[in-house]
Amino acid sequence: MKVTNPVIKDLLRHYRQISLLSKTKAVLDWDLNVNLPPKAAEGRSRQTSHLAELITDLWLDEKFRNQLDKASLLPSKISKEEQSIVRNLNFAGKYYFNVPKELIVEKEKVASVAFMAWKEAKEKNDFAIFLPHLKELIRIDQMVASHLKFDKNPYDALLDQFEPELTADKAKIAFDAIKPDLIKLVKRIQKSSGYSPTSPYVEQKMIYSRSEQELLLKSVMKRMGYDFNAGRVDVSPHPFTTSLDRYDVRITTMYLDNDFRPSYTSTMHETGHALYELGIEPDYSETPLEGGVSFGIHEALSRFWENMVGKNPAFITFMSPLFQSFYPDQLSALTSNDLGKIVNMVKPSNIRIEADEVTYSLHIILRFEIENALFNNEIKPEDAPRVWREKAKEYFGIEPEKDSEGVLQDVHWAYGAFGYFPAYALGNLYGAQLLHTMEKEINFEGELEKGNLLPIKGWLDQNVHRHGSLYLPAELMRKVTGEKLNPRYFINYLTKKYTKLYDLS
Amino acid sequence: MKVTNPVIKDLLRHYRQISLLSKTKAVLDWDLNVNLPPKAAEGRSRQTSHLAELITDLWLDEKFRNQLDKASLLPSKISKEEQSIVRNLNFAGKYYFNVPKELIVEKEKVASVAFMAWKEAKEKNDFAIFLPHLKELIRIDQMVASHLKFDKNPYDALLDQFEPELTADKAKIAFDAIKPDLIKLVKRIQKSSGYSPTSPYVEQKMIYSRSEQELLLKSVMKRMGYDFNAGRVDVSPHPFTTSLDRYDVRITTMYLDNDFRPSYTSTMHETGHALYELGIEPDYSETPLEGGVSFGIHEALSRFWENMVGKNPAFITFMSPLFQSFYPDQLSALTSNDLGKIVNMVKPSNIRIEADEVTYSLHIILRFEIENALFNNEIKPEDAPRVWREKAKEYFGIEPEKDSEGVLQDVHWAYGAFGYFPAYALGNLYGAQLLHTMEKEINFEGELEKGNLLPIKGWLDQNVHRHGSLYLPAELMRKVTGEKLNPRYFINYLTKKYTKLYDLS
């Protein structure tokens, strides 16, 4: 990367401090999730808050803001990279620059009380306990949105924070384009003759030892091209990926005793995130071009590896002898087709995090629609449980008996993270579109049949990973696939895959 | 802790930032030693250096220094705790306040080049490679000493950094008082009829599995009263202890396949450090009274647990059935007396880190004498290898055949850490004096026979740990034992223990 403009050089010097402290904070957070002894929770939170304060101060530094303003007026003849540096700083700084510090602090306080109330409400299955906090959180995020500015929909300002340039209108168009087909596909699968929502191989009967699961997932990570000299895999209750340095991107996983699937799929998912971060142009490290460009593109890649590679029937066929050699007592009686069905089991469920590939996006669409309605006062917070049940019934054919399995199931709202969910479903759409382009350039199914994942990683390195945050999501998709977001690819992908798997007529 | 003085309140607020960043840095360093993937070394060093810079800036903050100067003039009617806060800030700040930043930076640069040269010199057994760097490091530390100020001996300024108030004269008096007796004791042990410097139980023949060693050491840590909810034990090449929070004090250990002793003794050693930090008055946390008061007192406690408890023949007798149940195939043929001898094996060696309890202090005295002579121009750096060999011959009866096992064996000089070593030997002296007092108040041997370590921890909590950095080492020793440092206790302790163990006449 060649940066010649002196103002931008200054910006880079300043940002480097933000980057170093953010990665330091990431080390603290990783350690919190993987290693922290219980009594250290309060102390760690003081350390982390202090770092967060230092980072905020760096964003609010007056000299830095003046220079960023100056840079924003620079003629467009500065290089693409320089332009993106300025754009990304403005984007990342937007929250700090526009939202008053008191409101940020108030939101943190309200959210921390709300989190406790949400926990209690979920445990007691009593939405009324959470309701006043939900109202308060929405009121605060309405104010945040007005400080961040928006054209007509306050929800747009929140969406944009997680996925640059995303609006509720754009999301609605994309989601409306897939919703009816998804609902239909689920019903067709459920009615097919080979359909089964359970399997004795992943129920109480079987025991999959942790050490065997660990060996298997490490062998898959190696196959994916993950560099164990630039990261590690540990255990935490909720799997995640974190970048502690350009050459230190760690993932975590979790193990179930009676089910080999979650460690397999969540490891491929997290490794997908990690390959993105590890594939970025090294020069971008500790600059505003570092890191993946958005939650949506990150989820595109992680869900691509999890679903389109890891659960691809051709790859499962290749993996069958491996699965059986790792778990001979448990799986030797199965055909590779049986395994493919177990790994791709479709089962409408009330719980998002247990959802399969087909119903997952419907869970997100449901949340998106409710969030959008809440922020546009089309429904009131007290209506959310009812609306949730109605939509669940419509989309999955089942409805939650308890709010704890409905409107109270996710933690996101209790953190005040409205606008986060859509990135998940958007990721599915991006992923299918990338796959469509990839299939024209490499023999995707053929490589999977042979268990060759490196050509796939190589294609992603070349077309997506290396760019880091150089291009915004829409720009990146157009550059790589030659067209704007097209949700049909996702429906086509799912229809083709599940028609074959379940022999749908 | 009650702090009422407003100036001191301000100092505490400022120091709290230093404390939080220092603990953050400790997390990064812990992770570096325990988890870091190889390719992340450079990135981690950038993160750590940046934190070190922020910490330096906090020490050099002008407003803070002015307030500290103001506080230093406060009438003596402020509380003991307030007085110690001011004293500790002046002590810890001394280096930053007096040594010019350029010299600090120069020392870091010289040391990092010197470290590489030392590594090469040690590998190639060629002192000449290291010599110019050693000269340079001594020249720089001479300058550091002159900035830190000293009365007559520049080495005093360096010693004081690691052990407040220690001078070369004081160290020399203490060391001269034990040196001849140590040399004699080693010879008596070697000439005794039961003496053996080897054992088939810890040589190539035996295999002690790592999982068994881990179970054993965790059971010993529990017995010592270590709180696993406020820390953890991991593996690193060089065992260490680190405080990441008042309630997060972690240790590391290492395992040898053919020898159960190093993990046992080093774990008790490190747990001794950890009990000190975990026993400090919680109110002192994130104030200048936090943490152990000095390297010497810390080593006193760690070596107390390692040698005076862990290798005490009465405790080994209690532990024998445990050792044998953990390692039945390896140790079942041994008597508890045999085990006591194996654990306390005396063996003059050229290598300090392999030294036993009797010869260890001689290794330190040798280094102290050479450092003192170097900084007073009594010998030249080029003479160090020769002087080292002469002293080794005199103290241990053997001399290193190669400089790599002599003058080049330790990394400390390559870091420019002159003055660090004496704290180790001082710790032995402090420890024996504490033991002497403890034995008047609790039935030390009796408790060890029954495997009861909690009364010992309780005594240390009450008399030493809880004070943190409230009292300087000499003040603390006088307060706890009623007298100033008396090296005879150490000689008496060793003589009594080894006379019995080796049946010396």
Side-chain angles (χ1 to χ4, degrees):
Chain A
M1 182 168 64
K2 232 185 180 166
V3 170
T4 52
N5 186 289
V7 180
I8 295 178
K9 275 189 182 172
D10 276 352
L11 289 176
L12 287 183
R13 252 191 300 276
H14 187 83
Y15 176 80
R16 192 172 165 272
Q17 300 174 62
I18 294 177
S19 173
L20 287 172
L21 287 185
S22 303
K23 284 177 185 140
T24 298
K25 188 166 169 289
V27 178
L28 265 57
D29 289 333
W30 175 83
D31 182 76
L32 166 77
N33 281 288
V34 175
N35 299 312
L36 204 73
K39 290 186 182 172
E42 279 183 37
R44 178 55 52 87
S45 126
R46 284 194 302 277
Q47 294 158 8
T48 307
S49 304
H50 185 61
L51 282 178
E53 258 181 64
L54 293 178
I55 293 169
T56 304
D57 289 346
L58 285 167
W59 280 110
L60 294 176
D61 181 83
E62 223 166 307
K63 206 182 142 203
F64 165 68
R65 289 196 57 184
N66 288 337
Q67 277 186 301
L68 183 53
D69 288 343
K70 216 188 283 175
S72 308
L73 300 172
L74 282 174
S76 61
K77 67 177 173 181
I78 58 172
S79 73
K80 170 69 186 163
E81 283 170 338
E82 289 174 322
Q83 286 173 29
S84 296
I85 286 168
V86 175
R87 180 201 64 204
N88 289 354
L89 286 176
N90 276 313
F91 177 78
K94 207 193 294 181
Y95 188 74
Y96 298 99
F97 302 156
N98 293 298
V99 183
K101 215 173 172 178
E102 310 82 64
L103 189 58
I104 298 181
V105 173
E106 195 192 346
K107 178 170 172 174
E108 268 168 27
K109 270 191 204 149
V110 169
S112 90
V113 182
F115 174 74
M116 299 310 295
W118 166 78
K119 262 186 86 170
E120 194 193 338
K122 187 173 175 176
E123 272 161 30
K124 296 188 179 163
N125 183 37
D126 184 356
F127 181 71
I129 296 172
F130 183 52
L131 179 61
H133 303 275
L134 179 60
K135 284 182 175 171
E136 191 62 6
L137 285 162
I138 291 172
R139 185 187 65 80
I140 288 179
D141 255 14
Q142 292 271 21
M143 283 164 67
V144 168
S146 70
H147 285 290
L148 289 172
K149 311 249 171 21
F150 55 89
D151 272 346
K152 46 176 189 169
N153 186 342
Y155 188 48
D156 289 351
L158 306 177
L159 287 169
D160 178 74
Q161 282 185 281
F162 299 105
E163 193 66 13
E165 299 184 327
L166 183 65
T167 62
D169 275 355
K170 288 187 202 168
K172 189 172 184 314
I173 291 170
F175 294 164
D176 282 352
I178 61 172
K179 191 164 69 173
D181 290 319
L182 288 177
I183 295 173
K184 258 183 265 165
L185 182 57
V186 177
K187 289 195 179 132
R188 285 175 65 207
I189 293 169
Q190 282 180 294
K191 279 183 204 149
S192 72
S193 59
Y195 177 71
S196 165
T198 58
S199 160
Y201 296 96
V202 290
E203 305 284 328
Q204 297 307 334
K205 290 182 194 176
M206 293 291 175
I207 294 293
Y208 297 88
S209 90
R210 185 184 146 149
S211 59
E212 282 161 352
Q213 291 190 57
E214 191 181 334
L215 282 172
L216 179 78
L217 70 85
K218 282 190 173 167
S219 84
V220 174
M221 288 174 77
K222 264 209 175 125
R223 194 168 284 279
M224 289 171 73
Y226 178 82
D227 180 355
F228 279 94
N229 287 319
R232 35 185 297 133
V233 53
D234 294 273
V235 177
S236 72
H238 300 280
F240 66 99
T241 304
T242 181
S243 289
L244 311 185
D245 179 53
R246 169 64 183 73
Y247 296 103
D248 188 2
V249 183
R250 305 182 187 182
I251 73 158
T252 67
T253 190
M254 45 81 82
Y255 300 100
L256 290 189
D257 282 345
N258 65 332
D259 195 343
F260 66 96
R261 298 173 305 174
S263 67
Y264 171 71
T265 54
S266 82
T267 298
M268 290 195 83
H269 181 101
E270 301 305 332
T271 305
H273 284 304
L275 292 181
Y276 188 6
E277 296 285 322
L278 287 169
I280 296 170
E281 169 61 40
D283 253 17
Y284 291 176
S285 161
E286 293 165 25
T287 81
L289 302 182
E290 73 185 341
V293 68
S294 73
F295 285 94
I297 299 293
H298 247 302
E299 284 299 315
L301 296 164
S302 59
R303 298 184 65 79
F304 173 87
W305 283 103
E306 174 189 355
N307 293 314
M308 298 172 182
V309 175
K311 298 193 203 162
N312 184 302
F315 187 61
I316 292 294
T317 300
F318 168 81
M319 286 290 291
S320 289
L322 267 98
F323 278 121
Q324 286 167 340
S325 77
F326 276 99
Y327 313 120
D329 302 339
Q330 297 90 334
L331 300 183
S332 54
L334 289 172
T335 65
S336 58
N337 193 44
D338 295 334
L339 255 176
K341 277 193 186 169
I342 290 174
V343 169
N344 286 291
M345 193 183 283
V346 173
K347 181 185 184 180
S349 148
N350 285 309
I351 308 300
R352 176 183 60 87
I353 58 166
E354 294 170 4
D356 56 84
E357 191 181 8
V358 183
T359 55
Y360 190 87
S361 299
L362 290 170
H363 285 271
I364 298 304
I365 293 171
L366 178 156
R367 285 154 180 77
F368 160 76
E369 290 171 347
I370 293 179
E371 286 188 351
N372 194 22
L374 283 169
F375 275 84
N376 287 283
N377 300 313
E378 290 160 11
I379 63 170
K380 287 183 195 151
E382 39 270 64
D383 302 328
R386 178 183 50 80
V387 178
W388 190 291
R389 279 191 298 270
E390 289 166 5
K391 286 187 185 286
K393 181 88 190 156
E394 183 189 345
Y395 300 167
F396 310 121
I398 54 173
E399 64 178 287
E401 285 173 30
K402 302 187 267 183
D403 285 338
S404 57
E405 293 177 355
V407 70
L408 288 170
Q409 74 181 265
D410 295 310
V411 69
H412 301 58
W413 291 353
Y415 285 141
F418 300 102
Y420 186 102
F421 284 121
Y424 290 126
L426 216 58
N428 288 335
L429 308 186
Y430 289 149
Q433 187 162 335
L434 289 173
L435 175 61
H436 179 77
T437 303
M438 189 188 292
E439 281 178 326
K440 293 184 223 161
E441 295 171 22
I442 61 175
N443 181 4
F444 184 74
E445 294 272 330
E447 299 293 359
L448 290 190
E449 274 165 20
K450 290 180 278 176
N452 291 342
L453 305 185
L454 293 183
I456 297 168
K457 172 183 179 285
W459 190 92
L460 290 170
D461 277 339
Q462 180 59 26
N463 289 283
V464 183
H465 296 164
R466 69 187 173 95
H467 298 307
S469 294
L470 183 64
Y471 304 107
L472 287 188
E475 196 182 357
L476 180 69
M477 289 307 292
R478 207 170 287 123
K479 191 180 151 67
V480 181
T481 69
E483 58 179 322
K484 65 172 191 170
L485 182 66
N486 181 348
R488 291 312 306 164
Y489 293 120
F490 182 56
I491 293 298
N492 294 346
Y493 154 77
L494 281 184
T495 308
K496 189 176 155 206
K497 175 173 174 180
Y498 286 88
T499 298
K500 200 171 162 197
L501 203 62
Y502 282 97
D503 213 4
L504 304 179
S505 47
Chain B
M1 182 169 64
K2 231 184 182 167
V3 170
T4 52
N5 186 288
V7 180
I8 296 179
K9 277 189 180 172
D10 277 353
L11 289 175
L12 287 183
R13 253 191 299 275
H14 188 84
Y15 176 80
R16 192 171 166 274
Q17 299 175 62
I18 294 177
S19 173
L20 287 172
L21 287 185
S22 303
K23 284 177 184 140
T24 298
K25 188 165 169 288
V27 178
L28 265 55
D29 288 333
W30 175 84
D31 183 77
L32 166 77
N33 281 287
V34 175
N35 300 312
L36 204 72
K39 290 186 182 172
E42 277 183 39
R44 178 56 50 89
S45 127
R46 283 194 303 276
Q47 294 158 9
T48 307
S49 304
H50 185 60
L51 282 178
E53 257 181 65
L54 293 179
I55 293 169
T56 304
D57 290 346
L58 285 167
W59 280 110
L60 293 176
D61 181 82
E62 224 166 305
K63 205 182 143 205
F64 165 68
R65 289 195 57 183
N66 289 337
Q67 277 185 301
L68 182 55
D69 288 343
K70 217 189 283 177
S72 308
L73 299 172
L74 282 174
S76 62
K77 65 177 175 180
I78 57 172
S79 73
K80 171 68 187 164
E81 283 171 337
E82 289 173 322
Q83 285 174 29
S84 297
I85 286 168
V86 175
R87 180 202 63 206
N88 289 354
L89 286 175
N90 275 313
F91 177 78
K94 207 192 298 182
Y95 188 75
Y96 299 99
F97 302 156
N98 294 297
V99 183
K101 214 171 172 178
E102 311 80 65
L103 190 58
I104 297 181
V105 173
E106 195 192 347
K107 179 171 172 176
E108 268 167 26
K109 271 191 202 148
V110 170
S112 89
V113 182
F115 173 75
M116 299 311 294
W118 166 78
K119 261 185 88 169
E120 194 192 339
K122 187 173 175 176
E123 272 161 29
K124 297 188 177 162
N125 183 37
D126 184 354
F127 181 71
I129 296 171
F130 183 52
L131 179 60
H133 303 275
L134 179 61
K135 284 182 176 172
E136 191 64 7
L137 285 162
I138 292 173
R139 184 188 66 79
I140 287 179
D141 255 14
Q142 293 271 18
M143 284 164 64
V144 168
S146 70
H147 285 290
L148 290 173
K149 313 251 171 22
F150 55 88
D151 272 346
K152 47 177 190 170
N153 186 342
Y155 188 47
D156 289 349
L158 306 177
L159 287 170
D160 178 74
Q161 283 186 278
F162 299 106
E163 193 66 13
E165 299 185 326
L166 183 65
T167 63
D169 276 355
K170 286 187 203 168
K172 188 173 185 309
I173 291 169
F175 294 163
D176 283 353
I178 60 171
K179 189 164 70 172
D181 289 320
L182 288 177
I183 296 173
K184 259 183 266 166
L185 183 57
V186 177
K187 288 193 180 137
R188 284 175 65 206
I189 293 169
Q190 283 179 292
K191 278 182 203 150
S192 72
S193 60
Y195 177 72
S196 166
T198 58
S199 161
Y201 297 96
V202 288
E203 304 284 327
Q204 297 307 335
K205 292 181 191 172
M206 293 292 176
I207 294 293
Y208 297 87
S209 89
R210 186 185 144 146
S211 60
E212 282 160 353
Q213 291 190 58
E214 191 182 334
L215 281 173
L216 180 78
L217 70 86
K218 282 190 173 166
S219 82
V220 174
M221 289 173 78
K222 265 209 175 124
R223 195 167 283 281
M224 288 171 74
Y226 178 81
D227 181 355
F228 279 95
N229 286 319
R232 36 186 295 135
V233 52
D234 294 273
V235 178
S236 72
H238 300 281
F240 67 97
T241 304
T242 181
S243 289
L244 311 184
D245 178 53
R246 170 61 183 77
Y247 297 103
D248 188 1
V249 183
R250 306 183 186 180
I251 74 158
T252 67
T253 190
M254 45 81 82
Y255 301 99
L256 290 189
D257 282 345
N258 65 332
D259 195 342
F260 65 97
R261 298 172 305 174
S263 67
Y264 171 71
T265 54
S266 83
T267 297
M268 291 197 82
H269 181 100
E270 300 305 334
T271 306
H273 284 305
L275 293 181
Y276 188 7
E277 296 284 323
L278 287 169
I280 295 170
E281 169 61 39
D283 253 16
Y284 291 176
S285 160
E286 293 165 23
T287 81
L289 302 183
E290 74 185 341
V293 67
S294 73
F295 286 94
I297 299 293
H298 246 302
E299 285 298 314
L301 295 164
S302 59
R303 297 184 66 79
F304 173 87
W305 283 104
E306 174 188 357
N307 293 315
M308 296 171 183
V309 175
K311 297 192 203 162
N312 183 301
F315 186 62
I316 293 293
T317 300
F318 168 82
M319 287 290 290
S320 289
L322 268 100
F323 278 120
Q324 287 167 338
S325 76
F326 276 98
Y327 313 120
D329 301 341
Q330 297 89 335
L331 299 184
S332 54
L334 288 173
T335 66
S336 58
N337 193 43
D338 295 335
L339 256 176
K341 278 192 187 170
I342 291 174
V343 169
N344 286 289
M345 193 184 283
V346 174
K347 181 184 184 182
S349 148
N350 285 309
I351 308 300
R352 176 182 61 85
I353 58 167
E354 293 171 4
D356 57 83
E357 190 182 7
V358 183
T359 55
Y360 190 87
S361 300
L362 290 170
H363 284 272
I364 298 304
I365 293 171
L366 178 156
R367 284 154 180 78
F368 160 76
E369 290 171 345
I370 293 178
E371 286 188 350
N372 194 23
L374 283 169
F375 276 84
N376 286 283
N377 300 312
E378 289 160 12
I379 63 170
K380 287 184 196 151
E382 40 268 66
D383 302 328
R386 179 184 49 79
V387 178
W388 189 292
R389 280 191 297 272
E390 289 168 4
K391 286 187 185 287
K393 180 89 190 157
E394 185 189 344
Y395 300 165
F396 310 120
I398 56 173
E399 62 178 289
E401 284 175 29
K402 304 187 266 181
D403 286 338
S404 57
E405 294 176 355
V407 70
L408 288 171
Q409 74 180 265
D410 296 309
V411 70
H412 301 57
W413 291 353
Y415 285 140
F418 300 101
Y420 186 103
F421 285 121
Y424 291 126
L426 217 57
N428 288 334
L429 307 186
Y430 289 149
Q433 188 162 334
L434 288 173
L435 175 61
H436 178 77
T437 304
M438 189 188 292
E439 281 178 327
K440 293 185 226 165
E441 296 172 21
I442 60 175
N443 180 4
F444 183 74
E445 295 272 330
E447 300 292 0
L448 290 190
E449 276 165 19
K450 290 180 279 178
N452 293 341
L453 305 186
L454 292 183
I456 297 168
K457 172 182 178 287
W459 190 92
L460 290 170
D461 278 338
Q462 180 58 26
N463 290 283
V464 183
H465 297 163
R466 68 186 173 97
H467 298 306
S469 294
L470 184 64
Y471 304 107
L472 288 188
E475 197 182 356
L476 179 70
M477 289 307 291
R478 208 169 286 124
K479 191 180 151 67
V480 180
T481 69
E483 58 179 322
K484 65 173 193 169
L485 182 67
N486 181 347
R488 290 313 304 166
Y489 293 119
F490 181 56
I491 293 298
N492 294 346
Y493 153 77
L494 281 184
T495 308
K496 190 177 154 205
K497 174 174 175 180
Y498 287 88
T499 298
K500 201 171 161 196
L501 201 63
Y502 282 97
D503 211 4
L504 304 180
S505 47

